[in-house]
């Protein structure tokens, strides 16, 4: 618990840049480099990364974000050294064990995007239990992309559609959306990537079709509330056109541009 006086704590309280994205996705990159810079093993970086998820989740609630999606382990991450893969699997199990009670008390609804097949049965049970325990919570949704790939998600959706014998003419974008790993989430408005790279890395390919992107060189364990505020402010100044020509400034007060203008998609 903090021993700061109330007025000092208030000064640190996030100011809410409005309107806030409903759904923020984060590609949490840079754990390994964060650790290496400190002469620590890569897994120490992942542990620090897990600690940071809790902080950013709380800040997201305070900023009014409804859904936070985090990219915790991709279908491509199996290519990492076996020690690191095993370490990441254990870390997920330990995190559920240690944090589930708190997350549940804090009203966090956990959902999982990804394949459970291929994951150790006891970890599968832990994940299923976390989803079940928190399913009625509504303060914020934490969508954990674990053993996740955007292409695999679309492929899995198509396979289920075909298995159910749905005729091709009935397969619409809306229908396919219902077959994604988590069907009833709003599309992400903002995708943040930490760690300095500019790639999407197979994250939420279908859902992020019209998301705004934000990149920062900060490594994930150092990405704090101020950094999140900066990302949300950058988002608030963007113009979203959704493929049309009439631009919508998300927060006209935060931009030099007029609220609507004719521009190319
Ligand atoms: C990339 O950093 C990050 C990941 C592989 C996934 C992020 C994982 C966590 C924050 C911890 C695991 C989360 C849970 C819920 C168990 P990197 O290793 O690619 O960093 P680098 O680019 O500096 O090498």
């Amino acid at each position: 618990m903090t021993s700061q006086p109330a007025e000092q704590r208030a000064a640190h309280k996030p100011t809410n840049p409005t309107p806030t994205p409903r759904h923020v996705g984060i590609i949490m990159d840079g754990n390994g480099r964060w650790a290496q810079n400190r002469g620590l093993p890569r897994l120490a970086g992942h542990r620090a990364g897990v600690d940071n998820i809790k902080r950013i989740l709380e800040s997201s609630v305070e900023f009014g974000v409804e859904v936070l999606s985090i990219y915790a382990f991709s279908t491509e991450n199996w290519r990492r050294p076996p020690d690191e893969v095993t370490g990441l699997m254990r870390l997920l199990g330990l995190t559920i064990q240690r944090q589930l009670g708190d997350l549940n008390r804090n009203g966090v609804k956990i959902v999982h995007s990804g394949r459970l097949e291929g994951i150790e049965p006891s970890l599968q049970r832990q994940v299923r239990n976390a989803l079940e325990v928190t399913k009625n919570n509504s303060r914020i949704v934490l969508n954990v992309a674990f053993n996740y790939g955007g292409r695999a998600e679309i492929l899995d959706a198509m396979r289920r559609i075909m298995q159910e014998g749905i005729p091709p003419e009935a397969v619409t974008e809306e229908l396919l959306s219902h077959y994604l790993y988590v069907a009833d989430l709003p599309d992400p408005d903002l995708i943040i990537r930490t760690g300095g790279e500019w790639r999407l890395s197979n994250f939420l390919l279908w859902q992020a079709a019209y998301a705004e992107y934000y990149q920062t060189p900060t490594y994930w364990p150092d990405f704090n509330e101020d950094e999140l505020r900066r990302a949300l402010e950058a988002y608030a100044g963007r113009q979203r056109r959704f493929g049309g020509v009439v631009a919508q400034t998300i927060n006209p007060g935060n931009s030099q541009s007029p609220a609507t203008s004719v521009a190319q998609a």
Side-chain angles (χ1 to χ4, degrees), residues 28-40 42 45-46 193-197 199 216-221:
M28 308 179 290
D29 201 8
N31 295 342
R33 281 165 288 166
W34 181 92
Q36 274 158 7
N37 285 351
R38 288 164 174 74
L40 298 169
R42 292 176 57 82
H46 295 313
R193 182 170 189 137
T194 63
E197 312 278 358
R199 285 187 294 280
T216 168
T218 303
Y219 298 145
W220 170 247

Side-chain angles (χ1 to χ4, degrees), residues 34-238:
W34 181 92
Q36 274 158 7
N37 285 351
R38 288 164 174 74
L40 298 169
R42 292 176 57 82
L43 266 173
H46 295 313
R47 279 195 290 273
V50 170
D51 291 344
N52 200 37
I53 293 171
K54 217 178 156 190
R55 290 191 286 268
I56 291 301
L57 183 63
E58 270 310 312
S59 302
S60 300
V61 171
E62 293 195 41
F63 282 129
V65 172
E66 295 169 35
V67 182
L68 182 69
S69 288
I70 52 169
Y71 206 2
F73 190 89
S74 76
T75 42
E76 289 71 37
N77 286 154
W78 292 102
R79 296 181 195 141
R80 292 190 173 214
D83 280 3
E84 188 170 341
V85 170
T86 312
L88 281 163
M89 294 290 157
R90 282 208 189 114
L91 201 49
L92 178 63
L94 268 177
T95 305
I96 295 174
Q97 206 176 308
R98 290 180 183 159
Q99 303 293 337
L100 183 58
D102 264 3
L103 290 168
N104 189 33
R105 275 187 293 279
N106 286 324
V108 178
K109 176 176 177 171
I110 302 172
V111 295
H112 170 238
S113 288
R115 289 177 174 164
L116 279 181
E117 310 86 74
I119 293 178
E120 203 191 305
S122 63
L123 185 54
Q124 288 192 28
R125 281 194 294 277
Q126 277 185 289
V127 172
R128 287 202 180 92
N129 179 55
L131 308 188
E132 180 59 29
V133 166
T134 63
K135 69 178 182 197
N136 293 321
N137 292 341
S138 57
R139 198 160 158 251
I140 190 166
V141 175
L142 177 65
N143 177 27
V144 183
F146 195 88
N147 198 18
Y148 175 85
R151 287 186 174 181
E153 179 173 38
I154 298 167
L155 198 63
D156 286 353
M158 284 311 302
R159 284 182 178 151
R160 282 177 54 215
I161 289 169
M162 291 169 89
Q163 276 161 4
E164 289 182 18
I166 295 171
E169 60 275 14
V171 181
T172 58
E173 290 186 11
E174 201 193 352
L175 181 120
L176 198 142
S177 296
H178 287 295
Y179 282 80
L180 298 175
Y181 293 132
V182 186
D184 45 4
L185 294 181
D187 281 346
D189 304 291
L190 173 65
I191 301 286
I192 298 171
R193 182 170 189 137
T194 63
E197 312 278 358
W198 294 86
R199 285 187 294 280
L200 189 52
S201 298
N202 207 9
F203 186 49
L204 301 179
L205 289 187
W206 178 274
Q207 301 89 327
Y210 284 99
E212 296 293 320
Y213 287 86
Y214 180 88
Q215 185 267 24
T216 168
T218 303
Y219 298 145
W220 170 247
D222 291 330
F223 183 86
N224 58 19
E225 183 179 288
D226 285 338
E227 292 258 1
L228 178 62
R229 183 189 296 108
R230 274 198 283 282
L232 298 185
E233 281 168 355
Y235 170 83
R238 301 276 176 90

